[in-house]
Amino acid sequence: MLTTYDRKKKQENFDFVDALCKSLGWYFPLLAKLKIRSVEALVFRKFPGVCPYCRKAPHEDLICKQVKGTAATVNHDDVIVHFDRAWPDRPKDLDGWQLMFNKIYPRQVGDGGRSSLGLLEELGELAEAIRVFDVHPRYFLGEAADIFSYIMGLANEHSIREAQEGRSFSFGTEYVARYPGLCTQCGSRVCTCPAIPQATVGRLAKELTIRKEETLFVTNTDQFTSEGEAAAHLALESVGGYLGLSNKLPFDRGGANHALVMICLKIAAAIEQAKPEVAGNLRAEALRIQSSEKPAGVRAPPLDVKELLNEIQLVWKELDEQFRNDIKSSPGIVGDLVGALDASTVRVLFVSCDPEGTGVRLNLDAEQRAIKEALKLSPHGGKITLELLPSATTDDLRRSLLENRYDIVHFSGHANRKVLVFADSANNAVEVPISAIAELIKRHPSIRCVILNGCETVKGMNASIADWTIGMDKKISEPAALQFSKGFYDAVGAGKTIQDAFDEGVSAMTLASHKADYVRILTS
């Protein structure tokens, strides 16, 4: 498939980027099997930011064409000098390596076949290097570095094609999406898929001698395993955790399948009394997931668990903290998956409006600043995203809810028991029935909490708009409303539940000598 563009041959459900990523998915385990300790050291020792033959970037083709074997123009000592000098500034991620190789060996429009043909040749040489590895390991080191350089060449040629179509390409993003710290074919961290065929045999190449001070091979397998697990975790975090890859992870097999079943059952047991209907749904989903389990290596569409993960995420944030800690300490994928739930971002939409014609002007900027300060000072404030919708019209609100998923929607402005006041396009006051707002909110199930920080907003209200609705039974002063917001978002930023955050908001009011008996929380 890496020759797709050259042969103009396509394969259903598998494109060039899939093949490009799979080439690295094959390359890295091969190096691990031969106990290569550091891929970046292996590659950079031969390509230290320059071509190893002419020691230039971009390389000079005329000089490189004259190099044969170990002729005088192959100055190994000079390559080592480049390595020692440039090592601290080596690339730090896959996109960086791609850029480095493009500087050494620039690709251009019309370079079709250059990298794919070169890669095929190097694969033959690599196979020969593997055959004599026990006796001459330096051959493998050089050929493995060459393979990587041609994979980067293919990536750079693809970047040019994408740019011609007005698209961008990130090798790092695409690779991690397909190899997120566990095998997507068998669902396990340690792959249990069938063995792959042996590579073809090629010829040897003259490569650098391994220096005594180099530590290119694994000597401590336990440490190597630990470092690999840490790297897998970082890879997973970089793409939003398991939740960010819900449409790619193999939840229909292996450890991923078992972990999701276990989480559904544990959470169902914890919420049985408070939310029996949700608990029943989770048990039914656990049965569905378990019954859909497939053996490793079987090709099948990903199991659709997006809505289930969304439901788990909503429930998870309201579980008892001790329970969350217990399940987070579970080993393996179970702990990682709920850890991703715990670390997921809470999105808040702050809807404010003080249009002309209301008689009394409000200082809504003060409440906005107070919320920002509370989140900035809180231990988990970095996990809270606050988005502002000032001088809001109903169209602004409706479109924002269509564009993004929010956990909390906070209304601040003029109101009474029947309406919230919005603006029109000319900033004139428009009274909007709270019942209409409720219908809008209910179409967006990600919204767990609605705050109606205005006068009499829940007076006479019997049913919650979302899982939690917070409002006032009578008029509230601006200083009192401000104190409630401070306390509420202090608690949200500390990772507390909505009920805990409500209680903290009430405490902030009473500690500032404001009555709070008219502040209510309704639950669904």
Side-chain angles (χ1 to χ4, degrees), residues 388-435:
L388 306 176
L389 202 62
S391 303
T393 68
T394 52
D395 284 338
D396 292 336
L397 173 62
R398 183 176 52 78
R399 288 166 181 156
S400 292
L401 298 184
L402 287 172
E403 291 171 3
N404 298 296
R405 294 171 58 89
Y406 296 99
D407 299 279
I408 300 172
V409 176
H410 183 133
F411 294 93
S412 183
H414 300 279
N416 60 41
R417 62 184 298 177
K418 294 183 178 180
V419 303
L420 299 179
V421 177
F422 283 76
D424 63 13
S425 58
N427 199 36
N428 296 314
V430 176
E431 294 186 347
V432 180
I434 292 177
S435 59

Side-chain angles (χ1 to χ4, degrees), residues 121-244:
E121 180 182 358
E122 292 300 332
L123 283 171
E125 294 179 355
L126 183 69
E128 185 68 3
I130 292 173
R131 187 178 70 82
V132 300
F133 177 78
D134 291 336
V135 180
H136 301 291
R138 64 175 178 162
Y139 295 146
F140 175 81
L141 297 179
E143 296 305 328
D146 287 340
I147 292 288
F148 188 84
S149 74
Y150 277 105
I151 293 174
M152 293 299 106
L154 287 165
N156 283 317
E157 290 172 6
H158 182 68
S159 293
I160 293 174
R161 286 188 289 266
E162 289 297 278
Q164 288 179 312
E165 299 297 327
R167 298 187 295 263
S168 61
F169 169 67
S170 168
F171 200 176
T173 299
E174 297 290 350
Y175 180 77
V176 173
R178 291 164 175 79
Y179 295 91
L182 54 75
C183 176
T184 56
Q185 294 301 310
C186 66
S188 301
R189 275 188 171 164
V190 178
C191 179
T192 59
C193 292
I196 61 173
Q198 293 183 345
T200 56
V201 179
R203 63 181 180 83
L204 289 175
K206 304 291 185 178
E207 299 301 339
L208 297 172
T209 300
I210 302 174
R211 293 181 289 161
K212 291 182 179 180
E213 63 268 25
E214 292 185 295
T215 56
L216 296 170
F217 301 103
V218 175
T219 56
N220 184 327
T221 55
D222 290 339
Q223 179 184 353
F224 188 60
T225 299
S226 177
E227 290 173 349
E229 290 176 349
H233 185 70
L234 286 174
L236 185 62
E237 285 187 338
S238 72
V239 289
Y242 289 104
L243 298 182

Side-chain angles (χ1 to χ4, degrees), residues 286-323:
L287 181 61
R288 177 179 74 93
I289 296 164
Q290 190 172 43
S291 63
S292 67
E293 185 176 11
K294 296 179 177 62
V298 174
R299 185 183 294 275
L303 186 65
D304 185 6
V305 295
K306 186 175 182 179
E307 290 304 316
L308 171 61
L309 289 177
N310 287 336
E311 185 171 19
I312 290 175
Q313 187 175 11
L314 295 178
V315 175
W316 175 259
K317 295 177 184 296
E318 297 307 315
L319 293 177
D320 177 80
E321 189 170 356
Q322 181 60 49
F323 173 79

Side-chain angles (χ1 to χ4, degrees), residues 335-355:
D336 285 347
L337 183 53
V338 295
L341 289 168
D342 210 36
S344 58
T345 300
V346 174
R347 300 191 68 166
V348 180
L349 179 64
F350 183 79
V351 184
S352 59
C353 193
D354 184 26

